[in-house]
């Protein structure tokens, strides 16, 4: 029931983040003065109704967008003032995205998809392959590496996407409705995978509107109208 | 990161180019049909220019070679009458005396000969029941040295043939064929306009230039022709000579000009009433024709390549829109705008260069086929400059027309791109 105070182990710390958009003649505030910190090996769900600012918060967390004001540290890196190129490099180094609709490259095999983020680092193809294989084996798809996305089931595609997020060894795994396009059985499997990854020490942040997903997490941040309505820490049910 | 590949550390831009090339090839392969259609404009443009250039160059090199064989050093002097004088009824001439004076006085000449074409004498030659039209030339033994015609059988005219006005003939191979005579017909008699001539030699076959038969002639002694055809034709003759040193041709021509002007009583301001013709001159004229045809073809092709380039740009723009989500995804994964720009630029470059190479092969194939099908055509020839130019031009087209789509892709906002349906 109490907000996090442990700043020393914080991987993410946001202070007084404001994000607004200029509509026709009025200013729309998507985020109004949001402060939050996420520690290493946190397992966080960010929930809230649509229009609450979830997506905007995710974009800023994932370094896709810059806030209008406030400070944001990802690790030791101050994000707010970075250029486009620096943001791209930071995303590559520190953020592992997992999207609702998987966003795999359609004409690339599972292996090539997982290798993709390593293309933007200075890593030789051989090493890329090795790391990608490792990640694919981790998500249980070691036998499907040459399949194209359209030859895989929804759950398998999301596993490929998770492997792609894992392969860069990012500071946080950032899931945007990661089970939104999956049936209930597959959702359970994917959530079990997230549970495992958390147990292995990864920092997981999931944006969702499904309470069952949030139930898996150890901390639930509820947004409403661009503000944090509640930030609850609890023991997950196994 | 244990075995961090420091050995593979490339400069960032080179790395991006390498990865961009991989990605571009991947994408082109994935859309093979569309890529092919996109480059069609460029393929056709390049093929057209290469075909035209190949045919023109083949023609030009073959003509040059044939003219060289003929002896580009050989110069003919002919009487020249202005149109004004022709209307007034004057005809300038070169006389046999002009020839004799030149031959005795001009220095730096390997040999000189006089020729006439006795048109009034007719040009029909017959053997048995066959008869054929041919070119009859009256000349002397020097003709062989100047024109460089050599006998395959028998001998050329001798000095005594001319002195004694012998009725003998040196015959080109085409005449033999047309008259159904055997290959070695030395000693046979043929009839020129009812007068009998003994065949003393058969010339080596020359072949044809531009489809003009070079072996359809009969050479007879100058004096024999003069006696047979009367005074009229000998009034105007052609004089041919070969300078001993081609580089000194201008000086030789100057000597000849001075002598002829004096003999023809020309005033200082009067124009020459004779002119020099040489194969060199013909070659130059021909070269300028080839050059302008090549230039015009180049212009047309430049336009078609431009159109092809616009085609590439169009498809690339479509492709960027189509792949907006993918671009958003790779941006989220950490692709920098520069990286995406390079990738799309290379894709455009590869497409157009690919078109250039296929066009090159296709154009050469078309030219080779045409030259095989058409009679008397020399084989096609693609000079290195044409290849360089075609590939250079298509590269430039790829970069120029790839720039706009590549910039569009690089500038996409990742958030919007990820959400794009």
């Amino acid at each position: 029931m109490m907000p996090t105070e442990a700043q020393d182990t914080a991987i993410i710390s946001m202070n007084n983040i404001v994000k607004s958009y200029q509509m026709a003649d009025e200013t729309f505030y998507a985020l109004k003065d949001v402060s939050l910190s996420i520690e290493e090996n946190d397992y966080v769900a960010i929930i809230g109704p649509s229009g609450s600012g979830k997506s905007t918060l995710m974009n800023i967390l994932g370094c896709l967008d810059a806030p209008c004001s406030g400070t944001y540290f990802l690790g030791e890196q101050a994000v707010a003032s970075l250029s486009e190129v620096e943001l791209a490099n930071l995303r590559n180094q520190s953020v592992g995205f997992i999207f609702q609709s998987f966003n795999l490259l359609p004409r690339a095999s599972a292996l090539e998809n997982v290798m993709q983020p390593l293309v933007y680092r200075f890593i030789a193809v051989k090493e890329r392959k090795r790391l990608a294989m490792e990640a694919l084996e981790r998500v249980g798809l070691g036998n499907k590496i040459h399949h194209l996305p359209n030859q895989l089931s929804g759950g398998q595609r999301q596993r490929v996407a998770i492997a792609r997020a894992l392969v860069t060894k990012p500071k946080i795994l950032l899931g945007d409705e990661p089970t939104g396009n999956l049936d209930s059985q597959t959702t359970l499997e994917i959530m079990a995978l997230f549970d495992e990854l958390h147990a292995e020490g990864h920092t997981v942040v999931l944006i969702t509107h499904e309470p069952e997903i949030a139930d898996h997490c150890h901390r639930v941040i509820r947004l409403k109208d661009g503000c944090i309505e509640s930030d609850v820490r609890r023991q997950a049910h196994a | 990161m244990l075995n961090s590949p420091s050995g593979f550390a490339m400069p960032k831009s080179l790395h991006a180019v390498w990865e961009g090339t991989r990605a571009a090839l991947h994408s082109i392969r994935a859309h093979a049909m569309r890529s092919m259609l996109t480059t069609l404009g460029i393929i056709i443009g390049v093929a057209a220019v290469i075909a035209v250039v190949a045919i023109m160059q083949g023609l030009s090199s073959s003509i040059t070679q044939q003219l060289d064989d003929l002896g580009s050093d050989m110069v003919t002097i002919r009487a020249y009458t202005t149109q004004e004088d022709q209307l007034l009824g004057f005809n300038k001439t070169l006389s046999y005396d002009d020839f004799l004076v030149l031959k005795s006085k001009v220095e730096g000449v390997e040999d000189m000969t006089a020729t006439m074409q006795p048109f009034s004498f007719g040009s029909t030659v017959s053997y048995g029941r066959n008869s054929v039209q041919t070119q009859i030339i009256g000349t002397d033994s020097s003709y062989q040295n100047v024109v460089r015609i050599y006998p395959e059988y028998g001998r050329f005219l001798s000095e005594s043939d001319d002195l004694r006005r012998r009725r003998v003939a040196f015959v080109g191979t085409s005449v033999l064929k047309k008259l159904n005579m055997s290959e070695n017909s030395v000693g046979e008699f043929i009839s020129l306009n009812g007068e009998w001539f003994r065949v003393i030699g058969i010339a080596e076959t020359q072949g044809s230039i531009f489809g003009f038969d070079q072996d359809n002639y009969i050479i007879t002694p100058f004096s024999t022709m003069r006696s047979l055809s009367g005074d009229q034709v000998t009034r105007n003759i052609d004089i041919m000579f070969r300078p001993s040193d081609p580089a000194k041709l201008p000086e030789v021509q100057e000597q000849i000009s001075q002598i002829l002007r004096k003999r023809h009583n020309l005033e200082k301001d009067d124009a020459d009433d004779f002119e020099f013709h040489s194969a060199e001159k013909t070659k130059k004229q021909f070269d300028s024709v080839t050059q302008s045809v090549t230039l015009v073809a180049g212009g047309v092709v430049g336009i078609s390549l431009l159109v092809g380039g616009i085609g590439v740009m169009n498809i690339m723009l479509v492709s960027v829109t189509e792949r907006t989500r993918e671009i958003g995804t790779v941006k989220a994964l950490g692709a920098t705008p520069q990286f995406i720009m390079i990738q799309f630029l290379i894709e455009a470059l590869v497409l157009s260069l690919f078109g250039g190479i296929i066009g090159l092969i296709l154009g050469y194939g078309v030219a080779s086929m045409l030259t095989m099908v058409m009679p008397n055509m020399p084989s096609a020839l693609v000079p290195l400059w044409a290849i360089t130019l075609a590939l250079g031009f298509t590269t430039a087209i790829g970069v120029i027309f790839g720039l706009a789509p590549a910039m569009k892709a690089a500038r996409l906002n990742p958030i919007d791109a990820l959400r794009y349906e």
Side-chain angles (χ1 to χ4, degrees):
Chain A
M1 265 297 186
M2 54 185 252
T4 337
E5 300 284 323
Q7 293 284 326
D8 45 333
T9 54
I11 254 179
I12 282 171
S13 75
M14 282 183 160
N15 282 303
N16 310 105
I17 293 290
V18 175
K19 182 70 184 178
S20 63
Y21 299 99
Q22 194 64 44
M23 312 294 254
D25 37 31
E26 50 180 325
T27 310
F28 169 72
Y29 284 90
L31 292 178
K32 308 167 189 161
D33 195 22
V34 169
S35 299
L36 91 124
S37 89
I38 293 172
E39 290 143 64
E40 204 168 325
N41 198 20
D42 233 343
Y43 194 5
V44 184
I46 296 173
I47 62 170
S50 52
S52 60
K54 274 183 316 203
S55 297
T56 308
L57 184 58
M58 190 208 91
N59 289 338
I60 293 173
L61 274 174
C63 307
L64 286 167
D65 206 354
C68 297
S69 72
T71 57
Y72 171 24
F73 283 85
L74 177 55
E76 273 101 63
Q77 182 66 57
V79 178
S81 59
L82 292 183
S83 71
E84 210 182 334
V85 174
E86 288 166 328
L87 280 176
N89 289 330
L90 185 61
R91 287 195 294 271
N92 184 246
Q93 297 293 332
S94 306
V95 184
F97 284 99
I98 297 144
F99 301 99
Q100 177 175 6
S101 43
F102 324 133
N103 285 46
L104 299 179
L105 304 180
R107 289 176 301 276
S109 69
L111 185 66
E112 287 168 319
N113 264 291
V114 177
M115 285 161 69
Q116 193 65 30
L118 302 178
V119 166
Y120 310 114
R121 298 184 172 186
F122 297 101
I123 292 180
V125 177
K126 224 173 157 182
E127 176 72 358
R128 257 185 244 166
K129 269 197 181 132
R130 194 184 66 76
L131 290 168
M133 277 298 302
E134 220 176 80
L136 277 166
E137 268 157 21
R138 171 65 198 88
V139 300
L141 283 179
N143 56 342
K144 296 252 192 296
I145 57 168
H146 295 302
H147 286 56
L148 291 176
N150 61 16
Q151 297 167 324
L152 296 170
S153 71
Q156 288 169 333
R157 286 186 215 183
Q158 197 59 303
R159 282 170 189 271
V160 174
I162 292 170
R164 181 176 65 184
L166 284 175
V167 77
T168 59
K169 301 183 170 64
K171 289 198 174 74
I172 58 165
L173 289 175
L174 193 54
D176 181 14
E177 305 270 7
T179 59
N181 283 4
L182 301 175
D183 59 48
S184 53
Q185 178 58 38
T186 321
T187 298
L188 285 178
E189 287 169 25
I190 294 295
M191 286 319 295
L193 180 56
F194 276 119
D195 292 347
E196 281 171 41
L197 290 172
H198 168 250
E200 285 167 22
H202 287 277
T203 310
V204 180
V205 178
L206 302 179
I207 282 99
T208 184
H209 62 264
E210 294 170 68
E212 308 89 78
I213 304 302
D215 284 349
H216 280 262
C217 302
H218 295 182
R219 182 180 169 196
V220 178
I221 298 170
R222 182 181 296 274
L223 284 180
K224 196 181 175 190
D225 299 329
C227 297
I228 294 177
E229 192 187 46
S230 68
D231 185 346
V232 185
R233 186 172 281 283
R234 60 162 172 225
Q235 216 50 39
H237 352 135
Chain B
M1 278 296 161
L2 278 177
N3 45 353
S4 175
S6 58
F8 291 96
M10 285 191 270
K12 239 179 193 174
S13 53
L14 202 69
H15 177 82
V17 167
W18 169 240
E19 291 299 339
T21 309
R22 279 166 56 100
L25 289 176
H26 200 284
S27 151
I28 288 168
R29 240 200 334 263
H31 297 115
M33 183 67 181
R34 190 170 75 183
S35 305
M36 196 67 197
L37 288 174
T38 306
T39 56
L40 205 58
I42 289 182
I43 292 176
I44 291 172
V46 172
V49 74
I50 291 299
V52 170
V53 167
I55 290 173
M56 288 315 288
Q57 289 295 312
L59 209 60
S60 160
S61 87
S62 131
I63 296 284
T64 308
Q65 202 190 343
Q66 286 184 11
L67 288 174
D68 282 346
D69 285 352
L70 270 187
S72 53
D73 307 337
M74 188 179 81
V75 182
T76 305
I77 314 165
R78 253 181 218 139
Y80 173 72
T81 311
T82 60
Q83 274 192 326
E84 254 174 82
D85 284 345
Q86 269 174 19
L87 287 174
L88 292 171
F90 294 119
N91 265 319
K92 308 292 187 188
T93 57
L94 284 176
S95 67
Y96 192 64
D97 289 339
D98 286 336
F99 162 67
L100 292 176
V101 171
L102 288 178
K103 186 154 189 176
S104 63
K105 283 195 177 164
V106 176
E107 284 165 23
V109 168
E110 189 183 312
D111 209 342
M112 186 179 275
T113 185
T115 68
M116 63 156 161
Q117 302 208 2
F119 294 115
S120 64
F121 181 64
S123 55
T124 310
V125 54
S126 48
Y127 174 74
R129 258 183 277 167
N130 301 317
S131 68
V132 70
Q133 295 288 319
T134 186
Q135 182 189 17
I136 298 172
I137 301 166
T139 187
D140 58 16
S141 58
S142 294
Y143 186 85
Q144 186 178 22
N145 297 333
V146 176
V147 182
R148 305 233 154 115
I149 285 184
Y150 301 102
E152 181 79 41
Y153 299 105
R155 61 173 177 86
F156 195 73
L157 305 180
S158 69
E159 257 178 79
S160 68
D161 290 332
D162 199 31
L163 282 172
R164 293 168 197 274
R165 296 183 192 166
R166 284 195 189 121
R167 296 190 177 188
V168 291
F170 183 79
V171 184
T173 45
S174 289
V175 178
L176 287 186
K177 254 180 234 149
K178 286 179 183 163
L179 290 176
N180 268 335
M181 296 170 76
S182 69
E183 213 176 294
N184 182 358
S185 295
V186 173
E188 299 282 336
F189 282 86
I190 53 175
S191 161
L192 298 184
N193 207 24
E195 307 284 346
W196 290 100
F197 282 73
R198 188 162 58 88
V199 175
I200 54 160
I202 313 292
E204 285 175 346
T205 304
Q206 301 280 316
S208 56
I209 296 179
F210 267 140
F212 289 114
D213 188 356
Q214 300 294 301
D215 301 298
N216 188 10
Y217 59 85
I218 289 177
I219 295 171
T220 59
F222 191 90
S223 54
T224 316
M225 270 301 129
R226 189 160 53 166
S227 68
L228 282 173
S229 57
D231 188 36
Q232 200 189 353
V233 292
T234 55
R235 263 201 224 142
N236 193 11
I237 61 167
D238 289 348
I239 299 170
M240 296 163 100
F241 70 91
R242 181 180 288 273
S244 15
D245 178 3
K248 292 204 172 125
L249 181 61
E251 292 154 42
V252 174
Q253 286 189 352
E254 185 52 37
Q255 282 182 62
I256 293 171
S257 289
Q258 277 175 9
I259 295 169
L260 286 180
R261 286 183 71 89
K262 206 168 166 192
R263 285 183 52 80
H264 293 188
N265 297 320
L266 293 179
E267 298 290 331
K268 211 176 177 185
D269 299 334
D270 290 344
D272 288 345
D273 60 354
F274 53 90
E275 57 183 357
F276 297 96
H277 294 266
S278 66
E280 194 62 43
K281 207 162 143 190
T282 315
K283 201 157 92 182
K284 268 182 198 147
Q285 283 167 344
F286 182 78
D287 278 351
S288 81
V289 170
T290 340
Q291 227 166 39
S292 40
V293 170
T294 309
L295 269 179
V296 169
V300 170
V301 165
I303 292 167
S304 77
L305 279 182
L306 211 67
V307 174
I310 292 169
V312 169
M313 176 161 75
N314 192 14
I315 290 295
M316 289 297 298
L317 283 170
V318 169
S319 163
V320 168
T321 307
E322 209 184 70
R323 280 143 71 183
T324 299
R325 255 176 90 96
E326 284 179 48
I327 294 166
T329 304
V330 296
K331 281 200 162 188
L333 295 182
T336 58
Q338 286 83 343
F339 196 101
I340 288 166
M341 170 123 177
I342 287 173
Q343 178 184 333
F344 276 89
L345 210 52
I346 288 178
E347 192 168 326
L349 190 69
V350 170
L351 273 180
S352 87
L353 203 59
F354 181 66
I357 292 168
I358 292 192
L360 209 65
I361 297 165
L362 197 71
Y364 181 70
V366 166
S368 304
M369 236 160 60
L370 277 180
T371 53
M372 263 197 286
V373 172
M374 277 154 70
N376 288 325
M377 279 297 278
S379 59
L381 191 85
V382 184
L384 194 66
W385 64 259
I387 296 172
T388 319
L389 203 72
L391 295 186
F393 210 79
T394 45
T395 306
I397 290 275
V399 171
I400 291 166
F401 288 100
L403 215 53
M407 266 158 73
K408 188 184 164 193
R411 281 183 186 160
L412 280 175
N413 177 341
I415 298 167
D416 298 338
L418 275 167
R419 221 176 279 148
Y420 186 85
E421 291 299 329

